[in-house]
Amino acid sequence: MPHSTRPYDVIVIGGGASGMMAAGRAAETGKRVLLLEKNKKLGEKLAITGGGRCNITNAEEDERLFLSKYGDADKFLHTTFSQFCVKDTFSFFESRGLPLIVEAHKRAFPATERATDVVATLVKYLATGKVDVRTDVSVRHLVVVNKRIEKVQTSAGDFSAHTYILATGGVSHPETGSTGDGFSWLKELGHTIEKPTPTIVPLKVKERWVTQLAGISLPAMKITFFVNKERRFARSGPLLFTHFGISGPTILNSAGKVADLLHEGVVTAVIDVFPGVEQGALDRKLTEIFDANKNKLLKNVLKDIVPPGTADIFLSLLPNINPETKVHSVTKENRRQLAELLKRVPLTIIGLMGFDRAVVADGGLSLTEVDTRTMRSRKYENLSVTGDLLHITRPSGGYSLQLCWTTGFVAGSHVS
Ligand SMILES: Cc1cc2nc3c(=O)[nH]c(=O)nc-3n(C[C@H](O)[C@H](O)[C@H](O)COP(=O)(O)OP(=O)(O)OC[C@H]3O[C@@H](n4cnc5c(N)ncnc54)[C@H](O)[C@@H]3O)c2cc1C
């Protein structure tokens, strides 16, 4: 029978990170594969990952430590990762002409720093395996007959295969195509779906001055969170101001804990702009700098002390200090207030941003209902599930995409 008229062995629904990996892998093992994607292009979410640079995995070599980042799910994932782990991700992309680089906190990126190159590598993988890719086709329904998926109904008619891989993603950034369709289908099929909540997500703050700092970063701050003025926890690292609040890896990874605090009471935070310096030492440093710049305007001198772009806003938080004052007229008390502010910039956290801004939402198919050696559903033997559809909480840092590569590869390897 000519290749093109053979029935499909597998239909992969969703052409994101895990779906492309699953489809390419199944084709590599000799299967005839159809990939259905509702967008006009494959990998729309993948193309915006890591701020367009794609934090493709995390180069943590200690597998135990790596898997511990998935919390309670780690016990299910040993057999999955034994088939495709971080070093396989490196060799997969590097052997296809996309070398990876490792940055702070072991975050790995393509050396070209372009997420679109990751998409292109996967598209090539699909072409090499002669995967039949149909974009602009929206799957509407999975038809079940005798406890097996019989066919899929789509905007372009019905398609059938022996096996189906569901890779439609979660609910974060729905404009990229991840609108939660897979969750609804799995629920209809009788699977248990944990309710999704945004987990890796920026924080909304009440103070409006942050909007004037949108796009500006504090490269190395410490933020301490309080509930009803009682100290709860602190994190150090970079912070990014946004139009609605604060973001950046340190904040994104604090969001899960902050979500819990918001249930307890009023959540406030203070930012320490100079975490390595005690307040007294900072005051002495300011004194030295002020003495050396007596005749300059305070606002200009402060610009050389604080992170770029923040001086005017920080001064506006101290209404009794005139930014136009010459430094020699700044009183000792004003200088002390300035040092105190830089050690404790106050914020009120009013919530988490929603799914539209979330990097990752948890929730999804409970792992107890998946055979993680194959990624097959325990209820439907010809259905596998990958990527963000699975209920696995994880931090930012490349852990989400590694899950996609691993679960996609494993699902694609076990098409019967
Ligand atoms: C802004 C942002 C930045 C991120 N950065 C990183 C990062 O740097 N590193 C990292 O590890 N993770 C990152 N993530 C998380 C990562 O992108 C996801 O974990 C990953 O894309 C999930 O892949 P997936 O295959 O499960 O689903 P998705 O990538 O969401 O793909 C699902 C696909 O299915 C398609 N689809 C949905 N419904 C249908 C339907 N009915 N019919 C046909 N097709 C359908 C969608 O259009 C979509 O293309 C980021 C996420 C966001 C939102």
Side-chain angles (χ1 to χ4, degrees):
M1 194 185 294
H3 185 77
S4 58
T5 57
R6 261 172 56 206
Y8 293 112
D9 296 307
V10 55
I11 294 177
V12 179
I13 308 167
S18 69
M20 285 193 279
M21 177 57 99
R25 173 59 184 162
E28 198 174 31
T29 66
K31 303 292 186 288
R32 183 153 188 254
V33 186
L34 171 65
L35 175 60
L36 298 175
E37 165 55 52
K38 74 173 169 186
N39 288 331
K40 290 196 166 58
K41 281 195 302 191
L42 297 171
E44 289 218 355
K45 184 179 280 181
L46 184 55
I48 60 161
T49 54
R53 295 174 66 224
C54 185
N55 183 188
I56 198 163
T57 185
N58 190 287
E60 175 56 67
E61 292 129 37
D62 181 339
E63 198 170 306
R64 240 168 218 281
L65 193 58
F66 187 93
L67 288 180
S68 71
K69 303 286 181 178
Y70 298 121
D72 289 348
D74 72 339
K75 59 181 178 293
F76 294 97
L77 294 172
H78 286 275
T79 70
T80 335
F81 274 77
S82 69
Q83 298 172 64
F84 195 91
C85 63
V86 173
K87 82 173 169 10
D88 298 309
T89 300
F90 271 76
S91 34
F92 178 87
F93 287 101
E94 301 202 324
S95 67
R96 287 172 176 77
L98 192 67
L100 307 186
I101 50 168
V102 178
E103 296 188 356
H105 307 292
K106 302 194 179 174
R107 288 166 188 258
F109 295 84
T112 59
E113 303 195 49
R114 282 193 303 258
T116 46
D117 291 342
V118 180
V119 179
T121 304
L122 288 160
V123 168
K124 217 161 148 194
Y125 186 42
L126 299 173
T128 308
K130 298 194 170 47
V131 172
D132 197 351
V133 177
R134 305 270 313 251
T135 53
D136 213 3
V137 174
S138 185
V139 173
R140 292 180 176 149
H141 189 56
L142 273 59
V143 177
V144 175
V145 175
N146 291 335
K147 288 302 263 173
R148 287 178 64 82
I149 311 299
E150 180 72 9
K151 62 178 178 181
V152 288
Q153 295 172 330
T154 80
S155 55
D158 296 355
F159 296 93
S160 62
H162 299 301
T163 305
Y164 299 80
I165 298 177
L166 202 50
T168 48
V171 286
S172 69
H173 276 258
E175 80 285 0
T176 62
S178 324
T179 44
D181 300 9
F183 290 149
S184 318
W185 299 328
L186 286 165
K187 225 187 241 172
E188 277 170 30
L189 291 173
H191 271 297
T192 310
I193 297 296
E194 306 292 338
K195 191 172 177 292
T197 49
T199 50
I200 304 180
V201 65
L203 301 179
K204 270 194 243 180
V205 307
K206 184 168 139 203
E207 291 74 11
R208 290 299 77 210
W209 57 261
V210 295
T211 61
Q212 295 174 60
L213 290 179
I216 288 175
S217 308
L218 302 179
M221 58 89 225
K222 176 175 171 189
I223 185 163
T224 307
F225 292 94
F226 301 80
V227 177
N228 302 330
K229 301 197 174 142
E230 188 184 297
R231 184 188 185 283
R232 286 309 174 84
F233 74 101
R235 290 274 161 86
S236 299
L239 176 145
L240 174 70
F241 290 104
T242 69
H243 287 291
F244 44 80
I246 50 176
S247 186
T250 317
I251 299 303
L252 294 172
N253 284 330
S254 306
K257 269 187 153 183
V258 172
D260 294 339
L261 301 186
L262 285 161
H263 289 296
E264 290 183 38
V266 178
V267 180
T268 52
V270 294
I271 299 171
D272 184 346
V273 184
F274 294 104
V277 189
E278 292 298 322
Q279 190 173 320
L282 181 62
D283 190 30
R284 286 194 292 282
K285 189 81 199 152
L286 290 179
T287 311
E288 257 172 49
I289 298 170
F290 285 5
D291 284 348
N293 294 280
K294 281 192 170 68
N295 290 318
K296 293 192 181 158
L297 295 183
L298 173 62
K299 65 175 191 187
N300 292 337
V301 174
L302 193 64
K303 279 185 183 136
D304 293 334
I305 300 173
V306 294
T310 59
D312 291 345
I313 301 298
F314 287 154
L315 279 172
S316 74
L317 301 180
L318 295 169
N320 58 335
I321 302 181
N322 180 356
E324 307 289 337
T325 311
K326 290 229 166 121
V327 162
H328 61 69
S329 334
V330 175
T331 64
K332 191 174 160 194
E333 176 54 17
N334 287 165
R335 197 190 59 234
R336 200 195 50 74
Q337 284 173 349
L338 185 56
E340 188 177 342
L341 174 77
L342 296 176
K343 293 294 289 175
R344 297 178 62 79
V345 182
L347 289 174
T348 314
I349 312 294
I350 50 173
L352 270 55
M353 292 304 290
F355 291 118
D356 53 339
R357 300 275 180 173
V359 173
V360 166
D362 68 358
L365 177 59
S366 166
L367 286 188
T368 54
E369 296 179 12
V370 180
D371 177 351
T372 48
R373 287 169 304 181
T374 58
M375 299 318 297
R376 281 193 204 134
S377 149
R378 291 193 185 278
K379 289 181 189 269
Y380 297 84
E381 57 140 359
N382 71 337
L383 178 70
S384 301
V385 182
T386 62
D388 279 5
L389 278 172
L390 301 160
H391 176 44
I392 302 173
T393 312
R394 67 269 179 188
S396 77
Y399 295 95
S400 297
L401 284 175
Q402 182 58 52
L403 264 182
C404 292
W405 313 135
T406 298
T407 56
F409 181 91
V410 170
S413 299
H414 292 276
V415 171
S416 55

